[in-house]
Amino acid sequence: MALNPQNIGPGEEQHETFSLSAALVGRRRAGQKRVQYDYRHTDGELFSCIAVSLEAARTRRDEWLARRKAA
């Protein structure tokens, strides 16, 4: 099932794990796992990233939230 950011409400997240393709990254990195991550802020703005793990994606989200709060 593909992710659809339109399906997540404020304060919700969605994620999906996938493997890198040799055609896109070469043979050495082919098969490595990545996580596509989406989070919709309570104000409706979407944060989206690709990270090496769900924990790394959530860390990036938290950093994004901290920058928004500081601004």
Side-chain angles (χ1 to χ4, degrees):
M1 182 171 122
L3 299 182
N4 185 345
Q6 296 177 1
N7 291 340
I8 58 174
E12 293 181 351
E13 65 180 11
Q14 64 181 357
H15 54 87
E16 180 175 69
T17 302
F18 65 95
S19 297
L20 297 176
S21 165
L24 296 176
V25 298
R27 295 177 78 184
R28 292 185 70 197
R29 293 178 51 201
Q32 291 181 358
K33 301 289 184 189
R34 294 293 186 267
V35 174
Q36 165 67 46
Y37 178 86
D38 297 324
Y39 169 78
R40 187 163 308 278
H41 193 281
T42 54
D43 68 5
E45 187 171 349
L46 180 67
F47 170 81
S48 184
C49 72
I50 294 174
V52 296
S53 67
L54 180 57
E55 294 78 19
R58 287 178 172 155
T59 296
R60 291 173 65 180
R61 176 206 57 200
D62 293 345
E63 292 167 351
W64 175 76
L65 289 170
R67 285 191 305 273
R68 287 175 46 96
K69 191 173 185 178

